[in-house]
Structures are given as C-alpha cells and as structure tokens.
Amino acid sequence: AQSVSQHNHHVILSEAASLELGCNYSYGGTVNLFWYVQYPGQHLQLLLKYFSGDPLVKGIKGFEAEFIKSKFSFNLRKPSVQWSDTAEYFCAVTYGGSQGNLIFGKGTKLSVKP
Amino acid sequence: DTEVTQTPKHLVMGMTNKKSLKCEQHMGHRAMYWYKQKAKKPPELMFVYSYEKLSINESVPSRFSPECPNSSLLNLHLHALQPEDSALYLCASSPLRALGGVSGEQYFGPGTRLTVT
C-alpha cells in the first residue's frame, strides 16, 4: 500500500538550531510531494511542494526540501529555526493517476525553545 | 480570494440529530475534499469531488453524506452519528493541472470541530 513515513514524532530544538525532518514515501511511480504545517490553533497550510524539475525546493518562511528519488525521500530543512516555527509538520504525497488525494505521514511535532 | 471557509466553527450534536457542515471556496478550484482529523493525527481522506462529481468515497459510513451543489460549495450532511465521529472536519480544494488531473496542491479550511454527545 502507498504510504508516507516521517521519522521523528517529536523534535525539540533551541532557537537558531538547524532543522531537518525526514520523510520517506513508498514507491508508486510518479509522485507529487508536499510539506504542510499546522501552527497551534490554526489550519493546515502548504509550506512547499514538488512536482518536477529542480529537486531542491524552496518554500515559505525560509524552509526548503530536497527530493532524492533514489532514496524515496523528501526531507524538510531550515538553517535556523525560530520560536514561531513551533508547529506540527506533515509530509504528504499524491501518486500519479490518483484524484489528487493526499496521503499524509503521521506528522512531526516541532517544539522550539526560546 | 485564496481562502477556504467552513461553517460552523464548532458543532455539538446528539446522536439522533441531523446537521450539515458547509465549505466554500472562490479560487475556481474544481476539486474539493472532505477530511476527518482526530487529535494529534494526520487528516484522513473521506470524499473527493472532481468537477462537482463524487470521484472517491473512502468507505465512509452512510451516516456521512456529501453534496456538491456547485463548483464553489461543498456540504457534508450528518445523521445518526456516533460519539467516535467526534473530530475536526476539514474541507480542502485543489486546482486542476493544465494537462488534466488534480495537482494535489490543496488549500485547507480551518475546519469544523464536531462533538457528538
């Protein structure tokens, strides 16, 4: 079955630390890849997306992600986190031929200490 | 307008009630979705509408009945729910790709927090 795995359930960092959240997806042919963020009390927002082309994708708020096809990975990175980055981060995938239904990972809770 | 709006924000209903959740978007998106999200869990897909037609029903119980009256509106009719149906119900919409198919780039509403008593 098609699935998405996020390696970390809860990550705790101090401000200015670097961030990398892991995401792997199961093989299923053509994929579109996404990271969504859910700030406390707010709705899901699209952080960045990959459809094709340059595997290094830049998103909002200084986040970026790298698509490594050989590793079925789409890890999220940020060089220096801020307290305001505290949120739940979801990796998600759509597979080619689907109706665009997103398959979500279980999420990673990021807590940034001021 | 890049918003998906949902009403009501909160809903408490008894197991014998009938209620409806509403979702609206004015981004011209032709794919719309209903998701269910339990606390500390990812959203779970319930229904997908593409060009106002139901294209996916993820084996959702019949006590949930979706409706897409037009390209901007999506409803979820609720009847005889169970306490375990209490959750955050999210609506999302997505543009279609230029060559057809759905992009998967979804815009989410704030959700309706449903409590079934």
Side-chain angles (χ1 to χ4, degrees):
Chain A
Q2 294 162 342
S3 64
V4 178
S5 298
Q6 290 185 240
H7 308 152
N8 310 101
H9 178 62
H10 190 187
V11 172
I12 302 173
L13 296 173
S14 297
E15 275 194 315
S18 64
L19 170 71
E20 180 159 4
L21 301 182
C23 172
N24 287 90
Y25 62 93
S26 61
Y27 173 75
T30 305
V31 292
N32 296 326
L33 297 155
F34 307 87
W35 276 96
Y36 283 85
V37 60
Q38 194 166 28
Y39 297 102
Q42 295 189 29
H43 60 278
L44 274 166
Q45 299 173 42
L46 181 64
L47 200 55
L48 47 76
K49 62 192 178 190
Y50 174 80
F51 291 146
S52 63
D54 188 344
L56 186 61
V57 179
K58 294 195 184 299
I60 60 172
K61 305 187 181 187
F63 286 90
E64 64 179 30
E66 185 175 13
F67 171 50
I68 303 180
K69 189 175 181 180
S70 60
K71 294 185 178 180
F72 304 100
S73 70
F74 190 56
N75 292 353
L76 181 70
R77 300 195 291 248
K78 185 171 184 179
S80 175
V81 295
Q82 300 173 319
W83 176 79
S84 57
D85 293 324
T86 295
E88 188 89 23
Y89 291 82
F90 293 98
C91 181
V93 176
T94 61
Y95 287 87
S98 71
Q99 293 293 316
N101 44 306
L102 285 166
I103 299 174
F104 283 90
K106 291 189 176 181
T108 297
K109 181 178 178 180
L110 173 64
S111 298
V112 180
K113 298 184 292 184
Chain B
D1 186 353
T2 57
E3 257 195 334
V4 176
T5 59
Q6 291 186 243
T7 55
K9 288 186 178 179
H10 301 275
L11 179 62
V12 180
M13 60 185 290
M15 289 191 285
T16 58
N17 291 159
K18 285 185 181 181
K19 296 286 185 183
S20 296
L21 309 184
K22 296 186 184 305
C23 172
E24 190 167 4
Q25 57 90 12
H26 293 289
M27 295 178 279
H29 293 171
R30 302 305 296 274
M32 296 185 75
Y33 309 79
W34 280 115
Y35 288 86
K36 174 182 178 180
Q37 187 178 25
K38 290 278 205 179
K40 302 186 188 303
K41 299 287 187 185
E44 298 173 22
L45 183 68
M46 299 174 72
F47 302 103
V48 180
Y49 272 84
S50 181
Y51 289 102
E52 297 87 69
K53 293 191 188 308
L54 183 65
S55 57
I56 292 180
N57 175 341
E58 290 286 353
S59 303
V60 179
S62 60
R63 55 186 186 268
F64 295 91
S65 175
E67 179 197 17
C68 190
N70 60 54
S71 60
S72 300
L73 292 174
L74 188 65
N75 298 323
L76 186 62
H77 302 297
L78 314 173
H79 174 55
L81 295 192
Q82 304 297 310
E84 60 264 28
D85 296 322
S86 298
L88 182 68
Y89 287 83
L90 297 169
C91 174
S93 69
S94 180
L96 295 173
R97 302 291 293 274
L99 296 178
V102 186
S103 75
E105 176 184 349
Q106 295 183 20
Y107 295 81
F108 284 82
T112 293
R113 178 76 59 189
L114 174 67
T115 303
V116 181
T117 60

Coordinates of all heavy atoms in Angstrom, one line a residue, chain A residues 9 32 34 36 38 42-46 49 51-52 88 90 94 98-102 104-107 109, chain B residues 33 35 37 40-43 45 48 50 55-56 58 88 90 97 102-111:
Chain A
H9 N 8.8 11.7 15.7 CA 7.4 12.0 16.2 C 7.5 13.4 16.9 O 6.5 14.2 16.7 CB 7.0 11.0 17.3 CG 5.7 11.2 17.9 ND1 4.5 11.3 17.2 CD2 5.4 11.5 19.2 CE1 3.5 11.6 18.1 NE2 4.0 11.7 19.3
N32 N 3.9 13.5 -6.6 CA 4.0 14.9 -6.2 C 4.2 15.0 -4.7 O 3.5 14.2 -4.0 CB 2.7 15.7 -6.6 CG 2.5 15.7 -8.1 OD1 3.5 15.8 -8.8 ND2 1.2 15.7 -8.5
F34 N 4.7 17.1 -0.9 CA 4.3 18.3 -0.2 C 4.7 18.3 1.3 O 4.8 17.2 1.9 CB 2.8 18.5 -0.2 CG 2.2 18.4 -1.6 CD1 1.8 17.2 -2.1 CD2 1.9 19.5 -2.3 CE1 1.3 17.1 -3.4 CE2 1.4 19.5 -3.6 CZ 1.1 18.2 -4.1
Y36 N 3.2 20.2 4.7 CA 2.2 21.1 5.2 C 2.5 21.4 6.7 O 3.2 20.5 7.4 CB 0.8 20.4 5.2 CG 0.1 20.4 3.9 CD1 0.4 19.5 2.9 CD2 -0.8 21.4 3.5 CE1 -0.2 19.5 1.7 CE2 -1.4 21.5 2.2 CZ -1.1 20.5 1.3 OH -1.7 20.5 0.1
Q38 N 1.0 22.9 10.5 CA -0.2 23.3 11.2 C 0.2 23.9 12.5 O 0.7 23.3 13.5 CB -1.1 22.0 11.5 CG -2.5 22.3 12.0 CD -3.4 21.1 12.0 OE1 -2.9 19.9 12.1 NE2 -4.7 21.3 11.8
Q42 N -4.3 26.7 14.4 CA -4.5 27.2 13.0 C -4.7 26.0 12.1 O -4.5 24.9 12.4 CB -3.3 28.1 12.6 CG -3.2 29.3 13.4 CD -2.2 30.3 12.8 OE1 -1.9 30.3 11.6 NE2 -1.5 31.1 13.6
H43 N -5.2 26.4 10.9 CA -5.4 25.3 9.9 C -4.2 24.9 9.1 O -3.2 25.6 9.2 CB -6.5 25.8 8.9 CG -6.3 27.0 8.1 ND1 -6.4 28.3 8.6 CD2 -5.8 27.1 6.9 CE1 -6.1 29.1 7.7 NE2 -5.7 28.5 6.6
L44 N -4.3 23.8 8.4 CA -3.2 23.3 7.6 C -2.8 24.3 6.5 O -3.7 24.8 5.8 CB -3.5 22.0 7.0 CG -3.3 20.7 7.8 CD1 -4.1 19.6 7.1 CD2 -1.9 20.4 7.9
Q45 N -1.5 24.6 6.4 CA -1.0 25.5 5.4 C 0.0 24.8 4.6 O 0.9 24.0 5.1 CB -0.4 26.7 6.0 CG -1.3 27.6 6.8 CD -0.6 28.7 7.5 OE1 0.2 29.4 6.9 NE2 -0.9 28.9 8.8
L46 N 0.0 25.0 3.3 CA 1.1 24.5 2.4 C 2.4 25.2 2.6 O 2.4 26.4 2.5 CB 0.6 24.6 0.9 CG 1.5 24.0 -0.1 CD1 1.7 22.5 0.1 CD2 1.0 24.3 -1.5
K49 N 6.1 22.6 -2.1 CA 5.6 21.5 -3.0 C 6.7 21.1 -4.0 O 7.5 22.0 -4.4 CB 4.3 21.9 -3.7 CG 4.6 23.1 -4.6 CD 3.2 23.8 -5.0 CE 3.5 25.0 -5.9 NZ 2.3 25.8 -6.2
F51 N 6.7 19.2 -7.8 CA 6.0 18.4 -8.9 C 7.1 17.8 -9.8 O 7.0 16.7 -10.2 CB 5.1 19.4 -9.7 CG 3.9 19.8 -8.9 CD1 3.4 21.1 -9.1 CD2 3.3 19.0 -8.0 CE1 2.3 21.6 -8.4 CE2 2.2 19.5 -7.3 CZ 1.7 20.7 -7.5
S52 N 8.0 18.6 -10.3 CA 9.1 18.1 -11.2 C 10.2 19.2 -11.2 O 10.1 20.3 -10.6 CB 8.5 17.9 -12.6 OG 8.0 19.1 -13.1
E88 N 3.1 21.5 14.1 CA 3.1 20.1 13.6 C 3.4 20.2 12.1 O 2.8 21.0 11.3 CB 1.7 19.5 13.8 CG 1.6 18.0 13.6 CD 2.0 17.2 14.8 OE1 1.8 17.7 15.9 OE2 2.4 16.0 14.6
F90 N 3.6 18.0 8.5 CA 3.1 16.8 7.8 C 3.7 16.8 6.4 O 3.6 17.7 5.6 CB 1.6 16.8 7.7 CG 0.8 16.7 9.0 CD1 0.3 17.8 9.6 CD2 0.6 15.5 9.6 CE1 -0.4 17.8 10.8 CE2 -0.1 15.4 10.7 CZ -0.6 16.5 11.4
T94 N 1.0 12.7 -3.3 CA 0.0 12.2 -4.2 C 0.7 11.4 -5.3 O 1.8 11.7 -5.7 CB -0.8 13.3 -4.9 OG1 0.0 14.2 -5.7 CG2 -1.6 14.2 -3.9
S98 N -3.9 9.3 -9.5 CA -4.8 9.4 -8.4 C -5.7 10.7 -8.6 O -5.5 11.5 -9.5 CB -4.1 9.6 -7.0 OG -3.5 10.8 -6.9
Q99 N -6.7 10.8 -7.8 CA -7.6 12.0 -7.9 C -7.0 13.1 -7.1 O -7.7 14.0 -6.6 CB -9.0 11.6 -7.4 CG -9.7 10.7 -8.3 CD -10.0 11.3 -9.6 OE1 -10.5 12.4 -9.7 NE2 -9.8 10.5 -10.7
G100 N -5.7 13.1 -6.9 CA -5.1 14.1 -6.1 C -5.2 13.9 -4.6 O -5.0 14.9 -3.8
N101 N -5.7 12.8 -4.2 CA -5.9 12.6 -2.8 C -4.5 12.4 -2.1 O -3.7 11.6 -2.5 CB -6.7 11.3 -2.5 CG -6.4 10.1 -3.3 OD1 -6.4 10.2 -4.5 ND2 -6.1 9.0 -2.6
L102 N -4.3 13.3 -1.1 CA -3.1 13.3 -0.4 C -3.0 12.2 0.6 O -3.9 11.8 1.3 CB -3.0 14.6 0.4 CG -2.7 15.9 -0.3 CD1 -3.0 17.1 0.5 CD2 -1.3 15.9 -0.8
F104 N -1.0 11.3 3.8 CA -0.2 12.1 4.8 C 0.7 11.1 5.7 O 0.3 10.0 5.9 CB -1.1 12.8 5.8 CG -1.7 14.1 5.3 CD1 -2.9 14.0 4.6 CD2 -1.1 15.3 5.4 CE1 -3.5 15.2 4.1 CE2 -1.7 16.5 5.0 CZ -2.9 16.4 4.3
G105 N 1.9 11.6 6.1 CA 2.6 11.0 7.1 C 1.9 11.3 8.5 O 1.0 12.1 8.5
K106 N 2.4 10.7 9.5 CA 1.8 10.8 10.8 C 2.1 12.2 11.5 O 1.5 12.5 12.5 CB 2.2 9.7 11.7 CG 1.6 8.3 11.3 CD 1.9 7.2 12.3 CE 1.2 6.0 11.9 NZ 1.4 4.9 12.8
G107 N 3.0 12.9 10.9 CA 3.3 14.2 11.4 C 4.5 14.2 12.4 O 4.8 13.2 13.0
K109 N 5.9 16.7 15.4 CA 5.7 17.9 16.3 C 7.1 18.6 16.5 O 8.0 17.9 17.0 CB 5.1 17.6 17.6 CG 4.8 18.8 18.5 CD 4.1 18.4 19.7 CE 3.8 19.6 20.6 NZ 3.1 19.2 21.9
Chain B
Y33 N -12.5 18.4 -1.3 CA -12.3 17.2 -0.4 C -12.9 17.4 0.9 O -12.9 18.6 1.5 CB -10.8 17.0 -0.3 CG -9.9 17.0 -1.5 CD1 -9.6 18.2 -2.2 CD2 -9.5 15.8 -2.1 CE1 -8.9 18.2 -3.3 CE2 -8.8 15.8 -3.2 CZ -8.4 17.0 -3.9 OH -7.7 17.0 -5.0
Y35 N -12.0 15.8 4.8 CA -11.1 15.1 5.6 C -11.7 15.0 7.0 O -12.3 16.0 7.5 CB -9.7 15.7 5.7 CG -8.9 15.6 4.4 CD1 -9.0 16.5 3.4 CD2 -8.0 14.6 4.2 CE1 -8.2 16.5 2.3 CE2 -7.2 14.5 3.1 CZ -7.3 15.4 2.1 OH -6.5 15.4 1.0
Q37 N -10.0 14.7 10.9 CA -8.8 14.7 11.7 C -9.0 14.6 13.2 O -9.7 15.4 13.8 CB -8.0 16.0 11.4 CG -6.6 16.0 12.0 CD -5.8 17.3 11.7 OE1 -6.4 18.3 11.5 NE2 -4.5 17.1 11.8
K40 N -3.9 15.0 17.2 CA -2.6 14.5 17.1 C -2.4 13.5 16.0 O -1.5 12.7 16.1 CB -2.0 14.0 18.4 CG -2.1 15.0 19.6 CD -1.4 14.5 20.8 CE -1.6 15.4 22.0 NZ -1.2 16.8 21.8
K41 N -3.3 13.5 15.0 CA -3.2 12.6 13.9 C -3.3 13.3 12.6 O -3.7 14.5 12.6 CB -4.4 11.6 14.0 CG -4.5 10.7 15.2 CD -3.5 9.7 15.2 CE -3.7 8.7 16.4 NZ -2.6 7.7 16.4
P42 N -2.8 12.7 11.5 CA -2.9 13.4 10.2 C -4.4 13.3 9.7 O -5.2 12.5 10.2 CB -2.0 12.6 9.3 CG -2.0 11.2 9.9 CD -2.1 11.4 11.4
P43 N -4.7 14.2 8.8 CA -6.1 14.2 8.2 C -6.3 12.8 7.5 O -5.4 12.3 6.8 CB -6.1 15.3 7.2 CG -5.0 16.2 7.7 CD -4.0 15.3 8.3
L45 N -8.6 11.1 4.5 CA -9.5 11.5 3.4 C -10.8 10.7 3.6 O -10.9 9.5 3.9 CB -8.8 11.1 2.1 CG -9.6 11.4 0.8 CD1 -9.7 12.9 0.7 CD2 -9.0 10.7 -0.4
V48 N -13.8 12.8 -2.2 CA -13.2 13.7 -3.2 C -14.3 14.0 -4.3 O -14.9 13.1 -4.8 CB -12.0 13.1 -3.9 CG1 -11.4 14.1 -5.0 CG2 -10.9 12.7 -2.9
S50 N -14.6 15.9 -8.0 CA -13.9 16.5 -9.1 C -15.0 16.9 -10.1 O -15.8 16.1 -10.6 CB -13.0 15.4 -9.7 OG -12.3 15.9 -10.8
S55 N -15.9 11.5 -6.9 CA -14.9 10.6 -7.5 C -14.3 9.6 -6.6 O -13.8 8.5 -7.0 CB -13.8 11.4 -8.2 OG -13.1 12.2 -7.3
I56 N -14.2 9.9 -5.3 CA -13.7 9.0 -4.3 C -14.5 9.0 -3.0 O -14.9 10.1 -2.5 CB -12.2 9.3 -3.9 CG1 -11.3 9.1 -5.1 CG2 -11.8 8.5 -2.7 CD1 -9.8 9.4 -4.8
E58 N -14.0 7.1 0.5 CA -13.0 6.2 1.2 C -13.8 5.3 2.2 O -13.4 5.3 3.4 CB -11.9 7.0 1.8 CG -11.0 7.6 0.9 CD -10.0 6.6 0.2 OE1 -10.0 5.4 0.6 OE2 -9.3 7.0 -0.7
L88 N -12.2 16.9 14.1 CA -12.2 18.1 13.3 C -12.4 17.7 11.8 O -11.7 16.8 11.3 CB -10.8 18.8 13.5 CG -10.5 20.1 12.7 CD1 -11.4 21.2 13.3 CD2 -9.1 20.5 12.8
L90 N -12.3 18.7 8.0 CA -11.6 19.7 7.2 C -12.1 19.6 5.8 O -12.3 18.5 5.2 CB -10.1 19.4 7.2 CG -9.4 19.6 8.5 CD1 -7.9 19.0 8.4 CD2 -9.3 21.0 9.0
R97 N -4.6 20.4 -12.9 CA -3.4 20.7 -13.7 C -3.8 21.1 -15.1 O -4.8 20.7 -15.7 CB -2.5 19.4 -13.7 CG -2.0 19.0 -12.4 CD -1.1 19.9 -11.7 NE 0.2 20.0 -12.4 CZ 1.2 19.2 -12.1 NH1 1.1 18.1 -11.4 NH2 2.4 19.4 -12.7
V102 N -5.5 16.1 -11.2 CA -5.5 17.0 -10.0 C -4.1 17.2 -9.5 O -3.3 16.3 -9.5 CB -6.4 16.4 -8.9 CG1 -6.5 17.4 -7.7 CG2 -7.7 16.0 -9.5
S103 N -3.8 18.5 -9.1 CA -2.4 18.8 -8.7 C -2.0 18.2 -7.4 O -0.8 17.9 -7.1 CB -2.2 20.3 -8.7 OG -2.8 20.8 -7.6
G104 N -3.0 18.0 -6.5 CA -2.6 17.6 -5.2 C -2.3 18.7 -4.3 O -2.1 18.6 -3.1
E105 N -2.1 19.9 -4.8 CA -1.8 21.1 -4.0 C -3.1 21.6 -3.4 O -3.9 22.2 -4.1 CB -1.2 22.2 -4.9 CG -0.9 23.5 -4.3 CD -0.4 24.5 -5.3 OE1 -0.1 24.1 -6.5 OE2 -0.3 25.7 -5.0
Q106 N -3.3 21.3 -2.2 CA -4.6 21.5 -1.6 C -4.5 22.7 -0.6 O -3.6 22.9 0.1 CB -5.1 20.2 -0.9 CG -5.3 19.1 -1.9 CD -5.9 17.9 -1.3 OE1 -6.4 17.9 -0.2 NE2 -5.8 16.8 -2.0
Y107 N -5.6 23.4 -0.6 CA -5.8 24.5 0.3 C -6.9 24.2 1.3 O -8.0 23.8 0.9 CB -6.2 25.8 -0.5 CG -5.1 26.3 -1.4 CD1 -4.9 25.7 -2.6 CD2 -4.2 27.3 -1.0 CE1 -3.9 26.1 -3.5 CE2 -3.2 27.7 -1.8 CZ -3.0 27.1 -3.1 OH -2.0 27.5 -3.9
F108 N -6.5 24.2 2.6 CA -7.4 23.8 3.6 C -8.2 24.9 4.3 O -7.6 26.0 4.5 CB -6.6 23.0 4.7 CG -6.2 21.6 4.2 CD1 -5.1 21.5 3.5 CD2 -7.0 20.5 4.6 CE1 -4.7 20.2 3.0 CE2 -6.6 19.2 4.2 CZ -5.5 19.1 3.4
G109 N -9.4 24.6 4.7 CA -10.2 25.5 5.5 C -9.8 25.3 7.0 O -9.0 24.4 7.3
P110 N -10.3 26.1 7.9 CA -10.0 26.0 9.3 C -10.6 24.8 10.0 O -10.2 24.4 11.1 CB -10.5 27.3 9.9 CG -11.6 27.7 9.0 CD -11.2 27.2 7.6
G111 N -11.6 24.2 9.4 CA -12.3 23.1 10.0 C -13.5 23.4 10.8 O -13.7 24.5 11.2

